Amino acid sequence: MLSINEIKSLINSGEGFNLEFKVRIPNKIKEVTEEICAFANASGGTLILGVDDANDVQGVTFNNAKRSALQNSINEITPTLHCNIYTTTIDEKEIVIIEVPSGVNKPYVLSGAIYVRQGPNSQKLTTVEEMRDFFQQADKIYYDEAPCKTIDITKDIPDANIDQFRELAGLGTTVSNEQVFNNLKLVTKEGFLKNGATLFFAENPEQFFEKAVIRCIVFDGIDKRYITDDKIMSGTLYQQFLQTMTWLKTKLNVRYDIEGNGSQPRKEIWEIPETVFKEAIINALAHRDYYDKGARISVEVFNDRIEVSNPGGLVSGIPKNEFGKRSLSRNPLIFGLFERIRMVEQVGSGISRMRDLMLENNLTPPEFNTEGIFTVTFRRPFDFNKWVDKWVDNLTDNRVNIIKAIHKNSKVSKRELEEIVGISATAIDNNLEFLKEVQLIERMGSAKGGHWRINYILP
């Protein structure tokens, strides 16, 4: 049973991966039981009834009838799950505390459905693929939930890293660091710091996880023959993010809007929106396969594109046709910590935000490879006229428009090119043959399933 101070500390810390508030007891008590089931299928958690989303205590009435209804609903979870349920009074208002253990007999099922915890939300598994992925994970602990037995919490976790997290997460300074870690369930029952917490707070996480860093590389050209810069970004996951963003800024074209800002700092305008890279890098840090000890996250800058890659393809529980619409995290603890410092907003929305931002800025939509190494590719903007004037004499408008169409959509069909350029099928074929002959474009793969590739050689 938690003490009053511990409960107040939980309420002040706000909702997250291991903590859920409900301002009232819902008429459909099953809504509460679904959250309980999801906690049991994850690393456990605490559900508090009578607290709103703003962390304010509102209070509830929890009579014998409601207690009985709740217990009967919990009894419908199979296998049997035992929770600690009790009431306490804060600010003269009664609230209900439900402590849910991490189940030892996963999966736990409610009314034939499996519920899991994803970041600060609970999700019902509805597809065969999602359930298959869960069963594959049920017999092994998530990597970020496993104990890091070699770290010394007192020596290897600097106060500055915890203070930075407190500030970003909006946590007060009255609660001890130990209580913060307990509230966020960052320590195992045996007293070991979890892997995810080590990655998020240790002074040198790479000391414990050698490949848990970001490698940032610049290539001169469009292939990997000539490296002009190669750096390793280390430190906590948040520090790696900051270092990588700072490094990227020095490698890309950035202009400044100084009009109409008054005394405000001038606005930076990146050639590719800065937010796109924030989404991609946070996604890589939160969702990479940390079980893969042989690969790093990489950010690679070419003359024509930037690629952000991380070990681990698309989680098997997400069908390809649902990619970008829903999210299943390999590292729910890490994802939850990023959510607490407001680095991720809505589960599953990062992919669509990247797409929207690229289109809003008249750039090619991002390209995703979800097999093996997850890679997102961002095509860099460039001056087509300057490019073709440098490398090809007397390139017609039709041919320039064909190249532009291919740059925008590498899988564009000949029929689509006819409509875009406004010329006949025969003329499209003739122009494509010319562009291939002068080696400006080439066809990759089959006629139906392949795509076009532009041989970018930038001035």
Side-chain angles (χ1 to χ4, degrees), residues 188-249:
T188 68
K189 293 179 180 179
E190 297 75 24
F192 295 109
L193 197 67
K194 294 179 180 179
N195 285 338
T198 301
L199 288 164
F200 230 87
F201 293 99
E203 184 170 11
N204 297 299
E206 61 274 14
Q207 173 184 345
F208 309 98
F209 314 103
E210 180 184 357
K211 299 296 184 180
V213 294
I214 301 178
R215 184 183 181 188
C216 297
I217 317 170
V218 177
F219 297 98
D220 184 12
I222 62 172
D223 55 32
K224 297 187 178 183
R225 286 183 294 175
Y226 305 111
I227 295 176
T228 60
D229 192 21
D230 190 348
K231 286 186 170 57
I232 299 294
M233 306 305 177
S234 58
T236 69
L237 296 187
Y238 181 65
Q239 289 165 358
Q240 291 181 42
F241 161 76
L242 293 178
Q243 293 168 33
T244 302
M245 290 299 297
T246 299
W247 177 86
L248 262 174
K249 180 182 172 182

Side-chain angles (χ1 to χ4, degrees), residues 428-442:
I428 288 293
D429 286 335
N430 291 337
N431 282 295
L432 288 173
E433 286 303 316
F434 171 84
L435 293 172
K436 287 191 287 185
E437 286 176 7
V438 297
Q439 298 183 348
L440 285 180
I441 65 171
E442 60 181 313

